[in-house]
Amino acid sequence: MPKSANAFRTISEAAEAVGAPQHVLRFWETKFSFITPVKRGGGRRFYRPQDVVVLKAIRRLLHDEGLTIRGVQRLHKEQGLARLAAYGDGSTPFSMDAVPGEAAAVAAPDAPADQARLRQLLAEIESARARLDAVLAG
């Protein structure tokens, strides 16, 4: 009989669901303080359903999105555990800056002040490039 969706998972069941070996899950516990399975007598680990989702998110971020361990730690610090866990379902597009599930709103710079500021920034960038070209040429 299959387990309930809300049932705790052993480390072998969690590893199978995540697609990572058991020793990797134990290693991730040392690197990510927010991974805290329930430990019973004898040190057996039991993962809650939300733990498995977080582990799936970590696997995706490390293996599919190319983040480093430090990058995932930073993402957790900046966006929080709930937002990090949103990447666990595989359908949420990844972005270091955007909130998962929300499209990044990019407004067209139509206000004169916005256009003036963009022109100023472009002039600064072109000036910096000219200086860099001069240094590299000389």
Side-chain angles (χ1 to χ4, degrees), residues 36-131:
T36 54
V38 175
K39 290 187 182 176
R40 297 284 163 90
R44 270 191 85 171
R45 292 166 169 81
F46 290 93
Y47 294 86
R48 297 171 289 261
Q50 62 267 29
D51 294 330
V52 174
V53 170
V54 170
L55 290 168
K56 285 180 180 180
I58 290 171
R59 186 199 170 287
R60 173 185 173 194
L61 294 170
L62 292 174
H63 295 269
D64 300 340
E65 303 298 339
L67 266 67
T68 61
I69 288 174
R70 199 169 283 247
V72 174
Q73 291 168 338
R74 182 178 140 225
L75 188 68
H76 171 255
K77 182 179 178 184
E78 291 175 359
Q79 295 188 8
L81 187 59
R83 290 183 181 166
L84 187 132
Y87 297 120
D89 68 1
S91 65
T92 302
F94 171 70
S95 171
M96 281 296 285
D97 300 319
V99 176
E102 293 181 9
V106 178
D110 53 5
D114 290 341
Q115 291 177 356
R117 178 69 180 137
L118 288 175
R119 278 193 213 96
Q120 178 188 4
L121 289 172
L122 180 59
E124 291 173 15
I125 291 170
E126 289 172 345
S127 173
R129 182 176 181 180
R131 290 192 308 269

